Amino acid sequence: MNKRILTVGNVKKTMRYFKKNGIKQAYYAAKERIEEEKRSDYVYTEPKEDVLAAQRADWKRFPYRFSIVVPAYETKKEFLYELIDSVRKQSYERWELIIADASAGDAVEEIVTEYQEKEGERRLRYLRLVENGGISENTNAGIAEADGDYIGLLDHDDFLAPDALYEMAAAVEQAKKEGIRPVLLYSDEDKYDNNACYYKQPNQKYGFNLDLLLSNNYICHFMMAESALMKKLKLRKKYDGAQDYDLVLRIIDHLLTAEAGQDIRKLNEKVLHIPKVLYHWRIHETSTAENTASKGYAYEAGKAALEDFLKKRGWDAKVSHSLHLGFYQVDYVPDLLTVRPEVGIVGGRILGRQNKMISGIYNEKGERLYQGLHKEYSGGSTHRAALMQDCAAVDIRCIRICESLQPFFEKITGVSYRETGTQNLADVSEITCDEAGYRKLSMELGRIAAKKGYLTVWDPKISVKYAKN
């Protein structure tokens, strides 16, 4: 495997970033990218044959039928062969692959016919479209023909891991045993460099995280949704380029509306994350994986889809593009705690003397995420350290709390809650303890908020300098 860091693609990315954000941001973005690629030791390994054999022997106990829809348009032959083969090699066999073809030529149809006639593959269905209606309309044509319990979307130049459908079926079955009917499922993914022939940039995702979703479509690939709901919602042509993001946001809006008053955190029961790489996003000359600027309209469409979601929710907020294409910043008017009553705590970053993050966001284990990261870094290719997100707790030294939780702040700290400074953060000047003490207080407050049904939101735009470090 030959990992090339100084590539033409990386140089072009840096130049585009420089033109958009200026020399300072371009410098730090390039520096972080180089450091990330140098230390990356990621290697994708397919499940061993004995594991796949066990899945092939086991799949019949699951009753679920999956429909995979592919909108094809002048698809390269080698890409289409690899896509179809990746589906046919699935260890789970109850599937159908629907290829909705808007190509002018016959190449796609000929390849599908080859599989149908020479290989006898009847699970492969071909749909010739009269005209090219754009990716949403073309995909909708395939969705209309699907008869599976769940529908998954697969881009015409990407491909699946061989255990993708088995893992999806197993996740649905496990949820069913727990009395849960999952509506949306998604997995981790990586990128496949088509020129260098290696896998890189694994996107190991979180469970459902509303505020992270409002910053970026982190759900992305491989995504499956309940068939009846997807057929009802469909993709919307006005959001072409960000049609998947718009669909996910509308599914979430549907769940919140259909079950009004529910604890947003319980959407983890309806939106399932399978923490395995099941989808390979191909990097080639014209893909957005290689050139994020190749489809600028897509980022405007994503912004519009997000604005539509916020409007439906009745949340007074403004959306703007972040430094990174495809990532967004949501600013609430007048502020997050006022606009969204389900949010109980909001906090930000604590920076040390070297402008590196010493604290801020905690996970369920009490671990500090992004600790030691320079304030100008975004956290790598996912840019997660620069995005708002829900979390277990935020550091008590950089925090704001809703009124109903303020008595608990006073109870666990022994200090009256009052806000100070330009950012209206809690005054913790009277609280003196070591780092372990601050973590204990922060985690305790986060647990109380969760128990009371509140979200804790981390906002990296909020920063304080801590002189002791």
Side-chain angles (χ1 to χ4, degrees):
M1 180 176 63
N2 179 26
K3 292 185 178 182
R4 297 173 299 148
I5 295 174
L6 187 60
T7 64
V8 173
N10 280 344
V11 172
K12 288 182 177 179
K13 285 179 182 177
T14 301
M15 292 305 298
R16 287 192 295 267
Y17 200 89
F18 165 70
K19 290 179 181 179
K20 178 176 180 286
N21 300 315
I23 188 168
K24 177 183 176 181
Q25 296 297 336
Y27 166 77
Y28 281 109
K31 188 171 184 289
E32 184 177 18
R33 184 183 304 119
I34 291 171
E35 291 176 4
E36 180 185 26
E37 295 193 12
K38 278 185 176 179
R39 67 173 178 266
S40 174
D41 58 356
Y42 175 70
V43 176
Y44 170 75
T45 304
E46 282 194 355
K48 293 181 179 179
E49 183 51 40
D50 61 335
V51 173
L52 293 174
Q55 292 177 357
R56 293 189 194 103
D58 184 55
W59 72 269
K60 289 184 180 179
R61 70 186 177 93
F62 302 137
Y64 316 108
R65 178 174 169 81
F66 295 130
S67 299
I68 302 172
V69 175
V70 177
Y73 180 74
E74 309 299 349
T75 308
K76 287 187 176 182
K77 289 184 177 181
E78 60 268 31
F79 293 174
L80 187 59
Y81 277 120
E82 192 165 1
L83 180 153
I84 294 174
D85 286 341
S86 78
V87 178
R88 295 188 71 225
K89 291 176 181 177
Q90 290 297 305
S91 58
Y92 187 85
E93 298 185 21
R94 191 170 284 116
W95 55 263
E96 62 174 355
L97 176 60
I98 302 171
I99 298 179
D101 183 22
S103 305
D106 297 325
V108 172
E109 184 174 12
E110 289 171 357
I111 291 173
V112 174
T113 300
E114 177 184 335
Y115 279 98
Q116 290 173 330
E117 296 183 354
K118 293 184 179 180
E119 304 290 340
E121 186 54 85
R122 297 306 171 192
R123 295 171 297 180
L124 181 55
R125 299 170 58 188
Y126 177 80
L127 181 62
R128 165 70 79 173
L129 303 180
V130 176
E131 61 180 4
N132 179 17
I135 189 167
S136 292
E137 292 301 322
N138 296 350
T139 306
N140 284 340
I143 290 172
E145 294 295 316
D147 60 10
D149 300 292
Y150 288 86
I151 299 174
L153 303 178
L154 176 58
D155 290 345
H156 71 157
D157 46 3
D158 297 339
F159 54 104
L160 298 178
D163 56 338
L165 298 183
Y166 180 90
E167 293 293 348
M168 290 283 180
V172 174
E173 183 69 7
Q174 181 59 41
K176 182 180 177 181
K177 289 180 179 178
E178 297 171 5
I180 299 169
R181 178 183 58 82
V183 172
L184 181 68
L185 301 95
Y186 65 99
S187 74
D188 294 344
E189 62 189 283
D190 63 15
K191 292 185 173 68
Y192 178 73
D193 189 312
N194 199 64
N195 293 322
C197 298
Y198 73 92
Y199 299 90
K200 65 179 185 178
Q201 294 181 7
N203 189 352
Q204 294 163 324
K205 304 168 186 176
Y206 292 166
F208 179 69
N209 191 305
L210 178 58
D211 284 276
L212 186 60
L213 183 63
L214 300 184
S215 301
N216 167 253
N217 181 18
Y218 79 94
I219 287 178
C220 205
H221 309 302
F222 180 41
M223 181 186 79
M224 280 195 156
E226 197 176 45
S227 181
L229 182 59
M230 190 177 285
K231 284 175 177 285
K232 175 183 176 181
L233 295 178
K234 301 179 183 178
L235 303 181
R236 298 195 289 184
K237 183 178 179 63
K238 65 185 293 186
Y239 298 106
D240 271 4
Q243 69 285 339
D244 291 3
Y245 190 25
D246 174 58
L247 176 63
V248 170
L249 290 171
R250 286 186 293 129
I251 288 174
I252 300 306
D253 179 67
H254 166 82
L255 290 173
L256 292 173
T257 302
E259 302 180 33
Q262 72 167 334
D263 184 346
I264 286 181
R265 295 170 303 136
K266 290 185 178 179
L267 284 184
N268 271 317
E269 298 177 353
K270 299 293 181 122
V271 182
L272 295 186
H273 169 226
I274 293 89
K276 293 185 178 182
V277 171
L278 303 180
Y279 190 103
H280 305 299
W281 188 0
R282 190 190 302 271
I283 298 175
H284 58 89
E285 300 77 28
T286 60
S287 69
T288 52
E290 171 63 19
N291 178 7
T292 54
S294 63
K295 296 181 179 179
Y297 69 90
Y299 308 117
E300 292 299 330
K303 178 174 177 287
L306 182 51
E307 289 170 336
D308 181 66
F309 173 86
L310 295 170
K311 183 178 180 181
K312 286 179 179 177
R313 291 280 91 211
W315 295 345
D316 191 1
K318 296 180 180 179
V319 180
S320 58
H321 296 283
S322 78
L323 295 176
H324 314 286
L325 288 173
F327 296 79
Y328 306 99
Q329 178 175 313
V330 179
D331 293 302
Y332 293 88
V333 184
D335 64 68
L336 178 58
L337 294 179
T338 302
V339 174
R340 291 174 52 190
E342 82 280 5
V343 177
I345 300 174
V346 60
R349 306 183 300 176
I350 300 179
L351 303 173
R353 288 175 179 171
Q354 296 181 332
N355 282 324
K356 291 184 177 180
M357 193 168 133
I358 61 173
S359 187
I361 178 174
Y362 292 93
N363 64 15
E364 296 287 349
K365 297 178 181 178
E367 299 167 331
R368 298 173 182 172
L369 304 182
Y370 321 126
Q371 187 177 11
L373 198 69
H374 192 279
K375 75 181 183 78
E376 300 295 346
Y377 280 13
S378 69
S381 55
T382 63
H383 306 299
R384 205 166 285 159
L387 304 177
M388 289 179 69
Q389 55 202 271
D390 306 327
C391 58
V394 289
D395 198 290
I396 204 164
R397 291 167 289 180
C398 185
I399 200 169
R400 289 186 61 223
I401 305 171
C402 72
E403 185 175 354
S404 63
L405 289 178
Q406 291 174 14
F408 297 99
F409 172 91
E410 297 170 1
K411 181 178 180 180
I412 68 172
T413 65
V415 174
S416 296
Y417 181 85
R418 70 182 188 88
E419 296 177 356
T420 185
T422 58
Q423 301 182 94
N424 294 324
L425 299 174
D427 183 359
V428 293
S429 59
E430 296 179 41
I431 303 174
T432 304
C433 55
D434 57 13
E435 289 298 316
Y438 287 123
R439 176 170 55 191
K440 182 179 180 180
L441 291 173
S442 302
M443 291 299 296
E444 179 62 20
L445 192 58
R447 281 190 286 267
I448 291 172
K451 187 176 181 180
K452 298 294 181 181
Y454 288 104
L455 291 178
T456 294
V457 177
W458 187 66
D459 183 353
K461 297 190 301 297
I462 303 171
S463 293
V464 296
K465 200 73 177 285
Y466 196 62
K468 293 182 181 181
N469 288 270

